[in-house]
Amino acid sequence: LAKTTQPISMDSYEGQEVNITCSHNNIATNDYITWYQQFPSQGPRFIIQGYKTKVTNEVASLFIPADRKSSTLSLPRVSLSDTAVYYCLVGVPGGFKTIFGAGTRLFVKA
Amino acid sequence: GAVVSQHPSWVICKSGTSVKIECRSLDFQATTMFWYRQFPKQSLMLMATSNEGSKATYEQGVEKDKFLINHASLTLSTLTVTSAHPEDSSFYICSGTGTANTEAFFGQGTRLTVV
């Protein structure tokens, strides 16, 4: 299972774009990259998933370089309610054993 | 997205008693279920993986006789914490995924407090 490394914490202000980078140097050919968001005392919530290049949905974008050894979650114009822990996971979709790294604690300030 | 319903959301029990936590997939068939525990300000720690109809596979250091996992159907998995002790107090989270899914769907979590 590919190990992931993320910054422990990040601070931002409302309205700013936030980019959280995750390193996964030993990602396997069949692995996808998935990001989850977790608020205190709640289960993780799916944000976005991708395999290569760029993926965008209504809440975030995911940038994956050609070598796939890292990925960047981009949150446009964050608000106070985006304060949470963000986890980057790598594995085979639909059947992977989801191993969580330490995650990144994002603090959004007014 | 698909929904996983976990109950109860919180429970307080006396030391020595057993507690059952249920995890239901409401709109998909969860062929695989995962159970995690999470301590304050820490990441989720995988406890076990269960495939429908099979015995659960426990992670190293997790006592299978203490944390009983049943996954008898494609929509229900249960975790029973037997003879609970205060050190078992934690946040327990389940997730499920099916063969047609590309990600795992998580329950709301259960806050267990053993007094």
Side-chain angles (χ1 to χ4, degrees), chain A residues 38-95:
Chain A
Q38 186 183 29
F39 296 112
S41 295
Q42 293 186 28
R45 183 175 71 102
F46 173 85
I47 300 174
I48 198 166
Q49 183 182 76
Y51 183 81
K52 61 180 179 180
T53 62
K54 176 183 176 182
V55 179
T56 297
N57 61 23
E58 62 277 9
V59 298
S61 294
L62 178 60
F63 299 91
I64 306 169
D67 65 5
R68 305 200 325 124
K69 292 184 183 301
S70 67
S71 59
T72 299
L73 172 71
S74 181
L75 304 172
R77 298 179 297 282
V78 295
S79 63
L80 296 176
S81 62
D82 292 317
T83 294
V85 179
Y86 293 82
Y87 295 98
C88 158
L89 291 97
V90 175
V92 177

